[in-house]
Amino acid sequence: MNTALAQAPVDLPEHIAAAIVDHKHYANVDGLCETYAWMRANNPLGRLNHPAFHPFWVVTKHADVMAISRDNALFTNGAYSPTCAPQAYLDHVLATQGTRHPIKSLIHVDGAEHKELRGLTQAWFMPNSILKLDERIKQLAQTSVDKLSSLSAQGQVVDFVNDVALYYPLHVIMDILGVPPEDELRMLKLTQELFGAEDPDLKRQSAAVSPEERAKVMMEVVGDFRNYFNALTEARRQDPRNDIATLLANGTVAGQPLDPLQLLGYYMIVATAGHDTTSSTATMAMHALATQPGLLQRLKDDPKLIPAFIDEAIRVATPVRHFMRTAMADTEIRGRTIREGDWLMLCYLSANRDEDVFANPNVFDIDRKPNRHLAFGFGGHVCLGQHLAKMELRILFEALIPRLQSVSLAGEMRMTATLFVGGPKTLPLHCVVS
Ligand code: HEM
């Protein structure tokens, strides 16, 4: 056991605990990474006590995040909440909905149910299977680069997030799911309201700060998703097509059609998990091109480096900031006793800046080999869309880099203020694209 840890108090200091549950702290990624660095050095597995939250362990080391993620029987997703939220919010959802999980997606279930549900679409998302999307994704990438080219030709400052990055992964995932183009912006808005519930720029106008009101607004967002996807299910039962909606509407688990909660959860995770995350990563990649002298030229000279560039962008971006797990039995990690029922926060961004695994972890370095980041998680719940995300990002930058003559910052990159899925919300650029 690490001696620093043996001597450290189990509980995190008040100011560190407050920072970890403060969504505003997540908008300052350098500050957040400093908080994580302090924990990795002084208390890598500390207990967080905060009056507004059910207590939990904060897991900051790469090795611990991996070990916990790997043991899906001991550390489950569904026993308590798989994402961190204030106690009053979680209690209110339970009291008003009669369940902790009014959405039952892959991230809320464990064991056999998880395996069966995941099995429904897993083959679809495998590398060989998504190859068939290559041509379609190339067209969408070309359209995005053309848009960037025409905006930059007008000499204006381009906001890479709002002008380009938000729409490309959105088109890809909606196309795969079976949502028509005219409904894509509605899906984007609902996703932002779901993930950005704490960010004043993204949340619903009516969203207020009290946990009870936050729960109410969240249920409204879920209701909007439900209305939309119920209609899509009906349409695909009557008129099957080659898309994920058809697979879900007509699929079975344990011989039975998916129940309404499973169906809604599946639609929602596919509709939401696949675009914000990918667009945040594309933006971090663009930020690296704008700030690292020589990087653009290196990639132009040797396009075979693009996959390593993408991997590093994913590590640095780590848009999924955390998932939670619940211990199903007493166990020990780093000499500390974790009790049955304890809640744990897996801090992926911290794991991906762990100096035991990554030399100079705060530096964007495309020469890392291997780049063993955990941005897609690990174990049984590892990201279902990881191959698709990497393919989309590779195709976008393969299309962009040969045409990108120059790129530089035209202002500050601003980040979303959220504990869960976050990333840049603006990236103003000067660029020249042929
Ligand atoms: C789960 C990250 C893109 C679908 C996850 C998890 C992470 C993650 C951290 C949780 C893993 C765990 O608990 O161990 C990312 C990142 C992405 C990305 C960083 C982009 C750069 C996508 C895309 C899809 C997708 C394009 C397409 C549908 C899912 C699904 C799950 C998931 C369905 C739940 C899997 C399960 O619980 O079995 N993702 N994701 N993700 N992701 Fe992604």
Side-chain angles (χ1 to χ4, degrees), residues 77-93:
N77 281 37
Y80 195 53
S81 175
T83 54
C84 183
Q87 173 100 53
Y89 170 86
L90 297 174
D91 289 350
H92 189 76
V93 169

Side-chain angles (χ1 to χ4, degrees), residues 22-338:
D22 177 7
H23 60 271
K24 293 190 290 303
H25 193 50
Y26 288 69
N28 167 13
V29 172
D30 290 345
L32 178 63
C33 286
E34 275 171 32
T35 304
Y36 287 142
W38 183 91
M39 279 190 275
R40 287 194 305 274
N42 299 289
N43 194 353
L45 182 67
R47 200 170 45 211
L48 184 143
N49 295 302
H50 185 282
F53 287 79
H54 186 78
F56 57 88
W57 296 94
V58 185
V59 186
T60 60
K61 293 292 285 180
H62 186 279
D64 296 345
V65 170
M66 229 167 133
I68 293 169
S69 303
R70 179 187 281 132
D71 195 339
N72 300 114
L74 184 56
F75 298 104
T76 62
N77 281 37
Y80 195 53
S81 175
T83 54
C84 183
Q87 173 100 53
Y89 170 86
L90 297 174
D91 289 350
H92 189 76
V93 169
L94 180 62
T96 54
Q97 307 301 315
T99 166
R100 289 214 175 276
H101 306 313
I103 321 162
K104 205 174 185 196
S105 80
L106 288 179
I107 62 160
H108 299 92
V109 294
D110 301 285
E113 185 179 9
H114 174 254
K115 210 165 163 208
E116 284 226 59
L117 276 177
R118 190 168 163 123
L120 258 184
T121 57
Q122 175 130 316
W124 220 95
F125 285 102
M126 283 293 120
N128 280 344
S129 169
I130 56 173
L131 273 182
K132 64 177 182 294
L133 305 170
D134 191 74
E135 272 315 305
R136 176 81 186 116
I137 297 179
K138 278 185 178 149
Q139 280 168 11
L140 295 171
Q142 217 54 59
T143 309
S144 299
V145 178
D146 289 346
K147 184 172 178 201
L148 195 59
S149 167
S150 91
L151 289 175
S152 59
Q154 294 157 26
Q156 64 196 60
V157 170
V158 176
D159 176 358
F160 188 72
V161 178
N162 292 292
D163 291 336
V164 180
L166 282 182
Y167 307 104
Y168 165 67
L170 182 73
H171 290 319
V172 175
I173 200 69
M174 294 305 153
D175 204 52
I176 292 173
L177 186 55
V179 170
E182 61 273 20
D183 294 337
E184 286 180 3
L185 289 181
R186 191 165 157 202
M187 288 293 125
L188 176 64
K189 184 95 183 66
L190 286 173
T191 304
Q192 290 177 331
E193 288 172 348
L194 193 71
F195 290 160
E198 299 143 317
D199 190 299
D201 292 340
L202 304 178
K203 69 185 183 184
R204 268 192 183 199
Q205 287 303 307
S206 62
V209 283
S210 97
E212 291 77 9
E213 274 162 320
R214 185 175 148 193
K216 185 169 157 272
V217 169
M218 202 49 53
M219 291 318 300
E220 282 171 24
V221 175
V222 171
D224 287 356
F225 272 117
R226 183 184 298 112
N227 292 341
Y228 185 83
F229 287 123
N230 280 350
L232 190 61
T233 297
E234 265 322 297
R236 290 303 186 273
R237 283 184 180 154
Q238 284 171 22
D239 177 18
R241 299 197 190 161
N242 182 20
D243 56 28
I244 297 278
T246 300
L247 214 60
L248 299 178
N250 301 289
T252 55
V253 165
Q256 297 296 319
L258 273 65
D259 70 38
L261 280 188
Q262 290 172 327
L263 202 51
L264 175 64
Y266 224 128
Y267 278 123
M268 278 183 66
I269 190 132
V270 175
T272 58
H275 53 93
D276 257 26
T277 44
T278 313
S279 57
S280 290
T281 308
T283 306
M284 290 308 287
M286 205 60 185
H287 183 263
L289 290 174
T291 52
Q292 281 218 358
L295 180 58
L296 175 59
Q297 194 54 49
R298 220 181 138 197
L299 296 173
K300 278 179 181 291
D301 293 345
D302 188 359
K304 285 202 287 306
L305 293 174
I306 291 176
F309 165 66
I310 296 304
D311 261 347
E312 181 64 349
I314 296 170
R315 181 189 75 88
V316 170
T318 311
V320 178
R321 307 298 195 210
H322 83 271
F323 265 112
M324 306 298 288
R325 296 289 192 265
T326 301
M328 299 309 285
D330 292 359
T331 186
E332 199 175 288
I333 308 175
R334 279 184 194 268
R336 294 206 153 149
T337 305
I338 310 292

Side-chain angles (χ1 to χ4, degrees), residues 352-372:
N352 287 346
R353 303 286 170 114
D354 187 340
E355 20 318 81
D356 285 350
V357 179
F358 304 101
N360 301 317
N362 295 326
V363 172
F364 190 106
D365 175 5
I366 66 169
D367 294 315
R368 296 184 189 281
K369 238 187 231 155
N371 191 339
R372 292 189 295 120

